[in-house]
Amino acid sequence: PDTIQSVTVARRGYGSMAVSNSFGSQIINILIGLGMPWTMSCTAGQPIALTDVAHIRIMGCIQAVHVAVIFSALLGVAFAGGHTKAVLSKGKGAGLLAMYAAGVAFYALIVFHDSGAAAGALDRGFATAGGSTAASTAAPSPTAEPLPPGR
């Protein structure tokens, strides 16, 4: 439904509304898809186990790059050119699709290849930035200590 709405308003000439709809729908999906189960689990007193911290960090880095590129491609160009609204051209759209495909491919390589070596290389980058790597460089154990409810 979100795709159909975005395509419909874009064809009517409301490109900004289509872009806003695509971002807004994903934000709502993430907030409800992650927030509701987490809240229900915490309310029920059930612990939530996080065992694969390295992959979560990798996806966080990929998403941070995506957000930065999208912001610069849409709003950065508009602000630099003195425009009052962002313009999504076919070239920018193709670039964003290519960036998405590259992000998915990169993550797939990390997951399906020797994830320990790739995650270790990324974690070394976090260590230089001041992050802790003790939990992420060790292999996840099935008896990992669960995160207490509400944390």
Side-chain angles (χ1 to χ4, degrees), residues 97-117:
L97 283 174
M99 183 186 67
Y100 174 76
V104 170
F106 177 71
Y107 185 65
L109 283 173
I110 290 172
V111 170
F112 295 122
H113 190 260
D114 181 14
S115 64

Side-chain angles (χ1 to χ4, degrees), residues 5-125:
Q5 288 175 341
S6 293
V7 169
T8 301
V9 296
R11 286 186 177 166
R12 291 183 180 170
Y14 299 107
S16 296
M17 187 183 294
V19 172
S20 298
N21 182 40
S22 67
F23 285 118
S25 65
Q26 294 307 310
I27 290 170
I28 292 296
N29 290 343
I30 290 170
L31 291 177
I32 291 175
L34 292 176
M36 189 181 305
W38 192 286
T39 302
M40 290 169 42
S41 179
C42 290
T43 302
Q46 296 294 320
I48 298 170
L50 297 175
T51 58
D52 199 359
V53 178
H55 284 171
I56 293 172
R57 285 184 178 173
I58 292 168
M59 281 307 299
C61 289
I62 292 171
Q63 290 301 321
V65 170
H66 283 178
V67 168
V69 170
I70 289 170
F71 179 77
S72 64
L74 295 178
L75 295 178
V77 173
F79 291 147
H83 303 290
T84 58
K85 66 179 190 175
V87 177
L88 182 61
S89 64
K90 286 185 180 183
K92 286 181 188 175
L96 293 175
L97 283 174
M99 183 186 67
Y100 174 76
V104 170
F106 177 71
Y107 185 65
L109 283 173
I110 290 172
V111 170
F112 295 122
H113 190 260
D114 181 14
S115 64
L122 185 65
D123 283 337
R124 282 189 293 279

